[in-house]
């Protein structure tokens, strides 16, 4: 589940207010099951969903939009692309090309964000790995142009720990948030991955900025005793 803060316009004036929003992951892989799943989401008053690119290809982008649109549901995040260091077994050039295709699909779906897996250091020197990641992200932002699409970079793996692609994220020497903020453009935002009974103390040290500037992927997360739900950032509605 994705949890984030959503900017909403107040009824009077031009001020904005923040409210908690959640996005439920779409599980369907056939149109028939999608219709049933979306009906259940609508009954629960779900307004946002997240989905993987493979599912979109299986369902069909236009059919997906039609079913979601009828229920008044919007796509919050689309995953995944990236792997600029070769960790997804693609060359840098192929990774950039795939990222461009993912951007185009995210724009077609009017998704709020695209999740980009930066790739691990692997056998690269730290300097070269960071250079590949920085160039890949900047080229992806450039391809998005002026469209209202943000890129979310995870702080931890979003894939199964048993997967050959589990090392799809980058571990900087220092704090993850500081590294990302000084390495990339403002439209590239951190996505903090929280699992199990993980406490907020285990999150990046810049946790004081979490409520203002982050996005979170809640992967089977349940708040530990005495720990409040950690919220995530959302960009203003376009």
């Amino acid at each position: 589940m994705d949890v984030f803060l959503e900017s909403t316009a107040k009824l009077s004036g031009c001020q904005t207010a923040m409210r908690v929003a959640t996005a439920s992951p779409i599980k369907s892989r056939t149109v028939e099951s999608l219709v049933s799943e979306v009906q259940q989401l609508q009954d629960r008053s779900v307004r946002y969903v997240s989905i993987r690119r493979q599912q979109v290809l299986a369902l069909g982008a236009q059919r997906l939009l039609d079913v979601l649109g009828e229920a008044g549901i919007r796509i919050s995040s689309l995953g995944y692309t990236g792997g600029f260091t070769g960790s997804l077994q693609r060359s840098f050039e192929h990774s950039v090309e795939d990222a461009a295709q993912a951007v185009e699909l995210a724009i077609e779906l009017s998704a709020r964000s695209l999740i980009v897996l930066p790739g691990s250091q692997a056998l690269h020197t730290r300097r070269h790995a960071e250079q590949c990641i920085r160039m890949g992200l900047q080229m992806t932002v450039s391809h998005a142009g002026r469209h209202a699409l943000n890129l979310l970079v995870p702080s931890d793996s979003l894939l199964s720990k048993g997967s050959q692609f589990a090392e799809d994220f980058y571990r900087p020497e220092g704090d993850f948030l500081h590294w990302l903020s000084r390495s990339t453009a403002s439209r590239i935002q951190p996505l903090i991955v929280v699992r199990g009974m993980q406490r907020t103390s285990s999150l990046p040290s810049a946790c004081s900025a979490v409520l203002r500037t982050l996005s979170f992927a809640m992967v089977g997360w349940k708040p530990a005793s005495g720990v409040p739900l950690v919220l995530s950032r959302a960009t203003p509605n376009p």
Side-chain angles (χ1 to χ4, degrees), residues 157-179:
S157 177
L158 292 178
L159 306 180
S160 170
K161 290 299 182 182
S163 167
Q164 61 177 322
F165 301 131
E167 289 294 316
D168 55 333
F169 65 101
Y170 181 68
R171 299 180 186 273
E173 278 189 317
D175 181 73
F176 171 77
L177 304 184
H178 177 67
W179 166 76

Side-chain angles (χ1 to χ4, degrees), residues 175-217:
D175 181 73
F176 171 77
L177 304 184
H178 177 67
W179 166 76
L180 189 64
S181 65
R182 67 180 174 81
S183 300
T184 57
S186 59
R187 288 177 60 185
I188 302 173
Q189 301 172 354
L191 184 151
I192 304 302
V193 181
V194 186
R195 282 186 170 85
M197 298 295 287
Q198 186 172 350
R199 291 182 176 274
T200 54
S201 59
S202 64
L203 298 178
S205 60
C207 201
S208 59
V210 163
L211 296 180
R212 301 192 305 273
T213 60
L214 302 183
S215 291
F216 276 72

Side-chain angles (χ1 to χ4, degrees), residues 116-128:
V116 183
L117 311 178
S120 63
Q121 180 177 341
L123 299 178
H124 300 277
T125 64
R126 186 173 296 278
R127 179 178 180 181
H128 186 244

Side-chain angles (χ1 to χ4, degrees), residues 24-232:
S24 297
I26 289 290
K27 301 176 182 178
S28 301
R29 291 187 176 274
T30 66
V31 175
E32 292 74 16
S33 61
L34 175 67
V35 172
S36 176
E37 181 179 3
V38 169
Q39 180 60 58
Q40 295 176 25
L41 294 174
Q42 186 179 27
D43 292 342
R44 290 162 42 202
S45 299
V46 172
R47 297 183 299 114
Y48 291 102
V49 295
S50 58
I51 191 168
R52 294 194 179 194
R53 292 168 64 193
Q54 296 90 332
Q55 292 173 279
V56 178
L57 294 177
L59 296 168
Q62 190 56 55
R63 183 54 177 157
L64 173 65
L65 287 174
D66 290 343
V67 174
L68 292 177
E70 291 176 0
I73 296 175
R74 183 180 175 186
I75 295 176
S76 172
S77 61
L78 175 69
Y80 308 103
T81 187
F84 301 116
T85 61
S87 60
L88 299 184
Q89 297 185 356
R90 293 192 295 245
S91 67
F92 176 80
E93 291 76 14
H94 187 187
S95 296
V96 170
E97 180 181 348
D98 181 76
Q101 294 174 359
V103 165
E104 293 174 1
L105 180 58
I107 293 172
E108 180 183 355
L109 297 173
S110 298
R112 295 172 67 93
S113 58
L114 172 65
I115 298 175
V116 183
L117 311 178
S120 63
Q121 180 177 341
L123 299 178
H124 300 277
T125 64
R126 186 173 296 278
R127 179 178 180 181
H128 186 244
E130 292 192 358
Q131 182 181 31
C132 290
I133 293 171
R134 188 179 302 110
M135 288 179 59
L137 290 173
Q138 290 174 345
M139 293 173 74
T140 305
V141 167
S142 178
H143 192 83
R146 297 183 178 180
H147 292 277
L149 177 69
N150 287 313
L151 308 184
L152 299 181
V153 179
S155 64
D156 199 343
S157 177
L158 292 178
L159 306 180
S160 170
K161 290 299 182 182
S163 167
Q164 61 177 322
F165 301 131
E167 289 294 316
D168 55 333
F169 65 101
Y170 181 68
R171 299 180 186 273
E173 278 189 317
D175 181 73
F176 171 77
L177 304 184
H178 177 67
W179 166 76
L180 189 64
S181 65
R182 67 180 174 81
S183 300
T184 57
S186 59
R187 288 177 60 185
I188 302 173
Q189 301 172 354
L191 184 151
I192 304 302
V193 181
V194 186
R195 282 186 170 85
M197 298 295 287
Q198 186 172 350
R199 291 182 176 274
T200 54
S201 59
S202 64
L203 298 178
S205 60
C207 201
S208 59
V210 163
L211 296 180
R212 301 192 305 273
T213 60
L214 302 183
S215 291
F216 276 72
M218 314 301 285
V219 185
W221 183 70
K222 296 181 180 179
S225 177
V227 179
L229 178 66
V230 180
L231 305 179
S232 65

